[in-house]
Amino acid sequence: MLAFSGSSTLQQVHLLCTTKPNLIKPLFTAATTALCTRRRAVVSSSSSSMSYDRELSAAKKAASLAATLCQRVQKVLLQSDVHSKSDESPVTVADYGSQALVSFVLEKELHTEVTMVAEEDSADLRNEGANETLERITKLINETISSDGTYSVPPLSSEDVLTAIDRGNSEGGPSGRHWVLDPIDGTKGFVRGDQYAIALALLEDGKVVLGVLACPNLPLSPIGSHGQSSLQKEVGCLFYAKVGGGTHMESLAGSSPVKMHVCATDDPAEASFFESFEAAHSSHDLSSAIASKLGVRAPPVRMDSQAKYGALARGDGAIYLRFPRKGYREKIWDHAAGCIVVTEAGGVATDAAGNPLDFSKGKFLNLDTGIVVSNQKLMPSLLKAVRDSLNEASRGSPSL
């Protein structure tokens, strides 16, 4: 058998043209196959190292522009801006405007149609009596696009806005590419003037491959720190991560990116933890029992939205606990971006049984009881405290 290697392969074939003409065709085929295989390997390696760069850039642009829109609304928030969806949770013109704007930017940046699993749809805006709200949303979006100056496009019509919102009607699932968006995660915090986030992630065949968190009200300095006063006054963080690329943070106003790492402590006594601001969103009593078993001394930091994931990724705290009411089903848009931001910073995110979060099942996460996030050192003892506390709660322990 004749073997070929490297750039000499075709020279060997050429030499055989005069000595063994009957072997020319099979040898030439073998040589071509070998060279093509080698070339594909080089291209594959290059593609892997550059994977999702364009998508991450588009996601950062989309989330940042949506944050600009949300900041404009929050500054002049009026009671007429707040409506109720069928589940009675508050929704503002900013929720709809943010979703439409993210949809618009992704399509402009990626030059392709996008599908999204997103929180909002246009049904309420198509109802009679919603024309004034729709007009305000459309005006807000066009003003934001115009002031940014990136896109030279005619003003969007109301129908354009409705179409953009409804790109969020994807069901997701285990195959294909789906963007996952919460246009304003933490709407109640937004209405109060507190923490909220524009949370955008990309699913590829059921796996989260990148995520962006725009947190307009989150300080650039660590929460609870006593750093420079100038940093304490600066707010507006953009966290972003892609699979295998780590997690970075920069200012929404523009600054050099800084790589983020979760808190490295292995001592529960030094570990502060985050939980939801609203007691209705997560059991504060259960979190307190878990913290007590673990030996956590610091009081909890209560915060709206996936801003908690960003703060955890940069080491502001070491633990995030979420235990919603029985029967509640977690939506993937409430955790997809935050999950990869934490895991790429070295953290771990699981359900209460220690199972990795699975985003391939559609719009909902199939979980055992709740969500537990921490660093790798604390996770084993944290999960034990979670299991023990849940067992006690199920037996009706008076401490809970």
Side-chain angles (χ1 to χ4, degrees), residues 15-262:
L15 178 63
L16 288 170
C17 287
T18 57
T19 60
K20 297 183 180 180
N22 291 337
L23 293 177
I24 294 303
K25 184 175 180 180
L27 288 175
F28 186 77
T29 301
T32 303
T33 301
L35 289 175
C36 288
T37 300
R38 188 175 180 182
R39 184 177 293 113
R40 280 196 300 269
V42 172
V43 171
S44 176
S45 175
S46 175
S47 297
S48 177
S49 65
M50 297 297 290
S51 183
Y52 306 114
D53 282 351
R54 193 164 68 99
E55 290 84 353
L56 181 58
S57 177
K60 290 170 60 180
K61 175 67 175 177
S64 297
L65 202 56
T68 299
L69 180 149
C70 293
Q71 287 172 305
R72 290 165 63 118
V73 175
Q74 194 178 52
K75 285 180 181 178
V76 292
L77 191 64
L78 303 174
Q79 188 60 38
S80 60
D81 288 330
V82 182
H83 304 270
S84 290
K85 294 184 289 188
S86 58
D87 63 359
E88 297 184 351
S89 62
V91 61
T92 71
V93 294
D95 289 86
Y96 292 118
S98 174
Q99 183 159 315
L101 196 51
V102 167
S103 171
F104 167 83
V105 173
L106 289 178
E107 291 214 335
K108 286 297 179 184
E109 293 292 322
L110 298 175
H111 308 291
T112 186
E113 291 186 10
V114 300
T115 61
M116 294 192 302
V117 185
E119 183 169 14
E120 309 301 342
D121 63 55
S122 70
D124 289 342
L125 292 177
R126 294 180 187 272
N127 291 337
E128 256 185 74
N131 288 340
E132 182 179 346
T133 300
L134 179 57
E135 287 175 6
R136 296 192 63 235
I137 294 167
T138 303
K139 181 181 179 183
L140 180 65
I141 291 169
N142 284 321
E143 287 175 349
T144 305
I145 293 172
S146 176
S147 62
D148 177 68
T150 301
Y151 308 105
S152 298
V153 294
L156 302 186
S157 67
S158 294
E159 189 57 39
D160 292 333
V161 170
L162 293 172
T163 299
I165 291 171
D166 284 338
R167 291 194 190 104
N169 288 341
S170 169
E171 293 294 325
S175 61
R177 174 174 285 195
H178 307 278
W179 291 92
V180 180
L181 172 69
D182 194 332
I184 295 184
D185 183 37
T187 305
K188 289 184 178 180
F190 176 79
V191 171
R192 288 198 311 270
D194 292 336
Q195 297 301 329
Y196 67 99
I198 294 88
L200 180 61
L202 177 61
L203 291 184
E204 189 83 69
D205 295 332
K207 304 293 185 183
V208 184
V209 295
L210 67 84
V212 175
L213 293 175
C215 307
N217 290 339
L218 190 67
L220 295 179
S221 58
I223 295 172
S225 75
H226 299 283
Q228 298 179 9
S229 58
S230 61
L231 289 178
Q232 291 288 340
K233 295 177 182 178
E234 292 184 36
V235 297
C237 301
L238 183 69
F239 299 92
Y240 53 93
K242 68 171 185 174
V243 63
T247 296
H248 294 78
M249 185 192 82
E250 59 189 63
S251 165
L252 276 171
S255 66
S256 298
V258 179
K259 194 164 187 178
M260 298 288 102
H261 300 280
V262 296

